[in-house]
Amino acid sequence: GTDIFLVDARVGLRFGEVELRLDAQNLLNVDWNDGEFVYASNFDRNAIPSLVPQRHFSAGAPQTFLGTLSVYL
């Protein structure tokens, strides 16, 4: 696989029974491969299949911001 450098952060404030939390994932907005696989594949039914392995990947999560409001009873 390839090396990656991801930055995530979390900040939160709580006042009594109410908490507000902000989460940020992939702050630097890096394009990254979550999984990398090497195998022979053929996606064209009309072509002659090749047995040469090709690299396939599943893309990693994009830059994401999430907010959470919690009330403690």
Side-chain angles (χ1 to χ4, degrees):
T2 56
D3 294 332
I4 59 170
F5 179 76
L6 295 175
V7 177
D8 297 337
R10 174 182 284 176
V11 64
L13 293 171
R14 183 171 175 175
F15 296 104
E17 293 83 26
V18 178
E19 178 184 35
L20 178 62
R21 187 177 75 215
L22 299 173
D23 294 293
Q25 299 169 346
N26 193 6
L27 272 175
L28 303 177
N29 201 23
V30 176
D31 291 333
W32 61 287
N33 300 339
D34 187 32
E36 293 186 21
F37 314 95
V38 179
Y39 57 89
S41 61
N42 178 28
F43 296 104
D44 186 358
R45 292 180 186 255
N46 298 326
I48 298 171
S50 172
L51 298 179
V52 177
Q54 298 291 320
R55 182 176 300 252
H56 303 276
F57 68 91
S58 57
Q63 187 177 48
T64 306
F65 297 96
L66 303 168
T68 305
L69 177 65
S70 301
V71 178
Y72 297 93
L73 301 176

